[in-house]
């Protein structure tokens, strides 16, 4: 799923438990990765979906320093 095509907040508000459980992950391509990740995880938890069963793909010019931050947080 690519949430920021309609804005991340709008996307997350529209997502139901059914959609969140059916998806395998999310693609993030704009804005700070920390904010996006936190919002996705919080919405998953709110809908009683295990965030550890989902993936997030960061495609927004992530560099090696960002990757190190992601891996360690």
């Amino acid at each position: 799923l690519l949430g920021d095509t309609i804005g991340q907040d709008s996307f997350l508000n529209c997502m139901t438990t059914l959609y969140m459980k059916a998806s395998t992950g999310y693609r993030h391509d704009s804005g700070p990765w920390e904010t996006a990740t936190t919002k996705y995880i919080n919405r998953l938890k709110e809908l009683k979906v295990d965030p550890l069963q989902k993936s997030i793909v960061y495609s927004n010019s992530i560099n090696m320093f960002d990757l190190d931050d992601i891996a360690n947080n």
Side-chain angles (χ1 to χ4, degrees):
L1 298 172
L2 178 56
D4 46 351
T5 55
I6 61 170
Q8 184 182 30
D9 292 335
S10 295
F11 169 78
L12 291 174
N13 288 332
C14 292
M15 287 294 98
T16 64
T17 301
L18 177 68
Y19 287 123
M20 290 295 210
K21 284 186 175 182
S23 69
T24 56
Y26 312 95
R27 179 177 155 219
H28 173 69
D29 71 352
S30 60
W33 69 266
E34 299 97 331
T35 304
T37 303
T38 300
K39 287 181 179 184
Y40 283 133
I41 290 172
N42 288 342
R43 182 64 173 153
L44 289 167
K45 287 179 178 179
E46 183 180 306
L47 295 173
K48 309 279 191 273
V49 177
D50 183 3
L52 295 176
Q53 300 301 313
K54 305 297 175 184
S55 61
I56 299 178
V57 175
Y58 302 98
S59 61
N60 59 329
S61 302
I62 296 288
N63 60 43
M64 294 306 289
F65 298 108
D66 294 330
L67 288 175
D68 187 51
D69 282 345
I70 292 167
N72 292 307
N73 287 303

